[in-house]
Amino acid sequence: MEFSSALVQRAKEGDDAAVDAVLRGLEPIMRGYFTRRIGHRTEIDDLVQNSLIRVHRSISDLNNVSRLQAFAMKGALYELQDFYRGRYSARELLHEILEPFGPVTEPDRPEDRLDLDRALSSLTPLARRIIELRQLGFKYTEIAAEVDSSEAAVKMQVKRAFEKLRNLLGVLLLLLSQAW
Amino acid sequence: MVTAFCVMDPTTRIPLQQEALSKQARSALRSALSSDPVLRDQTRLWVQLCEQVTRSVTDRLPPSDDLIVVALYEAGLLGDATAETVSHVHGVQTALEPVRREHLSVDALLRRIAADARVFQEVWAEQTMTQRGAHPSRPSRPWRRVAPPTAWWTAAAAVVVLAVAAVFLLRAPEAHHMTVPEGFSKAVQLADGSSVLLRGPAGLSWQDDRARQVFLSGSGFFDVTSNTEPFSVTTDHAVTTVEGTEFGVESGSESTRITVVSGRVRVHAVQNRSDVVLGAGETTLIAATSDTAPDVRFAGPDPLTWTGLFIFRDTPVDSVALALERAYDVDIDVDPSLQSETLTGTFDRDQSVLDILSIVAAALGAELEQQGDQTTYRLIRRGSATG
């Protein structure tokens, strides 16, 4: 399969067979790309399909038919950023588990809002940066490289941040008595 | 209660530091939360805190499309952008500047996008090169005996293909995925020296740190080097484990067939969790829905036709002749004094029967005679009188 300019031009003009040929040619490239980037994960199929749908929907807007690679790449990059953001976030890890006990929304009660503000202000700049990176989908090993530290030290920062939060809530003794 | 906490941090009791949660951990945490309202509030606040921190960055970021364009521009990957695009990028950069000053994570985000883009360009180059290969390429082995010049050309071509595959491996330090479209073949050499011939449509995946654990969709013929570490091929239905051998795996949506050419393999059926051991010349079919242990059967003559190869391993010469006769619809007469000889070699089925027989004759130290109709051949011992 070669993405000749003629083929891409026909796809751009809405020729169904050409669109199909372009998408079929892109599929293994997208699959290989996502697999290399994130490993063997069940989300690969969705990432590939979503990327191809983006190409399909916008190929008529392609200004320069010789730039299909860049065009397809942007679609794949867009999907990958979405994947990263959901990957390791607290939303993915804890949101679903908390769901049966009521949705996790912005605090309604003023005292809860105060707790959150106090917790936020208790974070050190480093802890805040680590949480930011984590929420943006960076792995702990990647965060360690970003902040020029070790993975263990990064994880310790997260733990300390949580302990501060727990202390702010004033339930430390209660929790410890239940946990041990 | 304590059991439920064992999978988590014993002091914080929620999985702050894990990349992902196992089913067991999820279940344990759900149980802990249901019985402990304080822990529930604490966890809820932690989630709110993390989301608040995230929003403090993401609410100030431009749309992903703009972020991607900025990342590509700053990494020099945008190519010949129009003046309009460059002007747009400068506008986004200006708006982004205060956010970058306050949040160093934004720079990390842009660097990651650029790294992602470079990998995309690599994969594009590899895959389009693979797809352009109009002629299937397959690994070839010289005969045990004398290999004539034609075999060396075949072997040299295979070496070139394998060398290209090796370059790709060196470039990609993480996960690898090789896809072969329908109608194409591709030879892949793995880091441990094992090689795979993929027959499209097929896909093969592996990771650098686990080079001897590969995942296959479609069909592949494996030539595995001996190693103390087992080599495994996983499909949807079966896990085939070996130490050093040659075998074919054909996987489809309903079943996987494993056929062994040499050595021994252990096959684990995913559905019913049973194992079978296959020796040379044996085959088994693992069905997606079967609840019974798989059978081991004699593979029969020429069971790996789908590979596009003739694979002979210590094969009697008359059996070699028979396989060629069937494939090319020719008659091959083998001198009785040669029939007890055995041969080991691999041939591309795209080669002509004359090419293959010439190599066979050279390997046996025999002579090849061809009759005028080009459908009848004779292998005779060198020096024998011809009739």
Side-chain angles (χ1 to χ4, degrees):
Chain A
M1 177 70 205
E2 274 192 81
F3 299 107
S4 67
S5 295
L7 176 70
V8 180
Q9 181 64 39
R10 281 194 289 121
K12 173 180 159 63
E13 290 166 359
D15 179 332
D16 287 344
V19 171
D20 187 60
V22 168
L23 295 180
R24 281 179 187 280
L26 287 177
E27 198 270 349
I29 296 172
M30 294 291 190
R31 190 168 293 282
Y33 170 61
F34 289 121
T35 304
R36 183 170 302 177
R37 221 47 197 133
I38 66 172
H40 306 282
R41 296 179 63 100
T42 52
E43 295 91 337
I44 295 270
D45 283 341
D46 285 344
L47 287 169
V48 171
Q49 286 308 313
N50 290 343
S51 301
L52 294 178
I53 287 169
R54 284 178 67 84
V55 172
H56 183 236
R57 285 181 179 165
S58 55
I59 196 164
S60 58
D61 300 331
L62 182 58
N63 290 326
N64 182 346
V65 293
S66 68
R67 290 183 54 78
L68 177 69
Q69 178 187 347
F71 186 71
M73 180 174 77
K74 283 178 193 165
L77 290 174
Y78 186 96
E79 292 301 324
L80 199 52
Q81 302 320 301
D82 262 10
F83 169 79
Y84 285 141
R85 286 187 190 181
R87 182 164 64 173
Y88 299 121
S89 69
R91 176 170 289 276
E92 184 186 333
L93 284 175
L94 299 172
H95 229 277
E96 183 189 313
I97 293 169
L98 284 167
E99 203 66 29
F101 308 106
V104 180
T105 54
E106 283 278 311
D108 292 331
R109 296 178 305 170
E111 59 268 35
D112 290 343
R113 180 71 239 177
L114 191 62
D115 281 341
L116 182 58
D117 289 343
R118 286 167 64 200
L120 274 169
S121 62
S122 75
L123 291 176
T124 64
L126 178 58
R128 192 174 178 120
R129 188 176 166 202
I130 289 169
I131 293 173
E132 273 181 24
L133 288 166
R134 180 78 175 149
Q135 294 290 104
L136 291 170
F138 284 79
K139 295 179 184 178
Y140 277 122
T141 50
E142 294 166 339
I143 296 173
E146 279 294 329
V147 301
D148 199 20
S149 183
S150 68
E151 188 177 338
V154 166
K155 287 183 174 180
M156 183 53 70
Q157 285 287 332
V158 176
K159 187 175 173 181
R160 282 184 187 148
F162 183 83
E163 283 171 349
K164 274 188 182 177
L165 175 143
R166 189 175 55 187
N167 290 337
L168 283 170
L169 283 180
V171 294
L172 175 61
L173 290 175
L174 177 61
L175 276 171
L176 286 177
S177 67
Q178 287 184 348
W180 297 97
Chain B
M1 181 66 79
V2 171
T3 306
F5 296 145
C6 287
V7 293
M8 298 168 229
D9 187 305
T11 55
T12 62
R13 301 169 68 204
I14 68 168
L16 302 172
Q17 300 160 329
Q18 288 166 250
E19 304 287 10
L21 277 185
S22 67
K23 203 172 173 181
Q24 184 193 11
R26 281 177 183 273
S27 170
L29 181 58
R30 197 171 285 120
S31 166
L33 291 172
S34 68
S35 63
D36 187 341
V38 176
L39 180 65
R40 207 153 59 222
D41 286 346
Q42 182 189 43
T43 308
R44 192 182 296 276
L45 186 62
W46 176 256
V47 172
Q48 288 168 344
L49 176 80
C50 290
E51 292 190 349
Q52 185 72 25
V53 169
T54 310
R55 277 196 298 275
S56 70
V57 187
T58 55
D59 284 357
R60 298 175 66 192
L61 288 178
S64 284
D65 283 337
D66 283 345
L67 208 57
I68 289 167
V69 174
V70 169
L72 297 178
Y73 179 75
E74 294 186 354
L77 298 170
L78 202 53
D80 48 349
T82 62
E84 187 186 357
T85 302
V86 173
S87 169
H88 176 67
V89 168
H90 287 161
V92 178
Q93 279 179 313
T94 305
L96 198 55
E97 202 167 319
V99 190
R100 294 174 83 162
R101 274 201 303 271
E102 285 179 45
H103 301 278
L104 294 175
S105 56
V106 177
D107 281 345
L109 199 59
L110 294 171
R111 281 197 297 275
R112 183 173 64 185
I113 293 171
D116 288 339
R118 289 191 188 93
V119 173
F120 187 92
Q121 290 175 337
E122 283 179 14
V123 173
W124 182 282
E126 292 171 14
Q127 292 278 348
T128 51
M129 190 181 296
T130 302
Q131 291 175 359
R132 274 199 296 270
H135 302 290
S137 49
R138 305 181 175 110
S140 182
R141 291 178 153 217
W143 291 87
R144 275 186 184 164
R145 295 183 171 197
V146 180
T150 49
W152 287 111
W153 280 111
T154 310
V159 167
V160 170
V161 170
L162 297 179
V164 170
V167 168
F168 290 161
L169 291 175
L170 288 173
R171 268 199 219 155
E174 301 174 356
H176 303 265
H177 184 78
M178 190 70 69
T179 307
V180 182
E182 188 167 6
F184 288 75
S185 297
K186 184 163 183 65
V188 182
Q189 186 163 38
L190 303 171
D192 67 341
S194 300
S195 62
V196 188
L197 173 69
L198 294 171
R199 295 284 289 184
L204 187 76
S205 306
W206 71 96
Q207 287 182 273
D208 278 347
D209 55 343
R210 280 169 283 179
R212 284 176 73 86
Q213 293 175 30
V214 301
F215 298 83
L216 173 74
S217 62
S219 300
F221 179 70
F222 293 80
D223 184 352
V224 176
T225 55
S226 289
N227 192 315
T228 52
E229 183 189 345
F231 184 101
S232 69
V233 181
T234 301
T235 68
D236 286 345
H237 323 108
V239 181
T240 306
T241 308
V242 301
E243 289 181 358
T245 183
E246 293 171 296
F247 61 100
V249 178
E250 301 164 80
S251 69
S253 58
E254 301 296 321
S255 64
T256 296
R257 174 174 291 285
I258 298 98
T259 304
V260 177
V261 173
S262 66
R264 289 168 73 81
V265 308
R266 177 176 295 277
V267 180
H268 174 74
V270 173
Q271 167 70 14
N272 57 43
R273 299 179 181 180
S274 56
D275 287 15
V276 291
V277 175
L278 301 178
E282 293 178 341
T283 187
T284 189
L285 184 72
I286 310 293
T289 55
S290 174
D291 291 326
T292 56
D295 289 338
V296 177
R297 301 204 170 175
F298 172 58
D302 219 6
L304 295 168
T305 309
W306 59 265
T307 60
L309 300 173
F310 291 108
I311 303 163
F312 303 125
R313 299 290 179 268
D314 293 323
T315 308
V317 173
D318 53 354
S319 297
V320 171
L322 187 61
L324 297 176
E325 282 180 339
R326 284 179 177 154
Y328 293 97
D329 194 21
V330 296
D331 291 320
I332 302 169
D333 183 23
V334 180
D335 188 303
S337 67
L338 296 172
Q339 288 178 359
S340 60
E341 300 275 357
T342 60
L343 289 167
T344 293
T346 304
F347 290 97
D348 195 318
R349 285 176 181 263
D350 284 349
Q351 287 178 269
S352 72
V353 67
L354 179 59
D355 282 349
I356 295 175
L357 281 173
S358 299
I359 297 168
V360 169
L364 291 170
E367 291 178 6
L368 177 67
E369 290 184 352
Q370 180 184 6
Q371 290 196 350
D373 59 2
Q374 299 190 348
T375 60
T376 306
Y377 299 87
R378 190 175 178 197
L379 282 168
I380 57 172
R381 193 168 286 282
R382 189 161 292 164
S384 300
T386 59

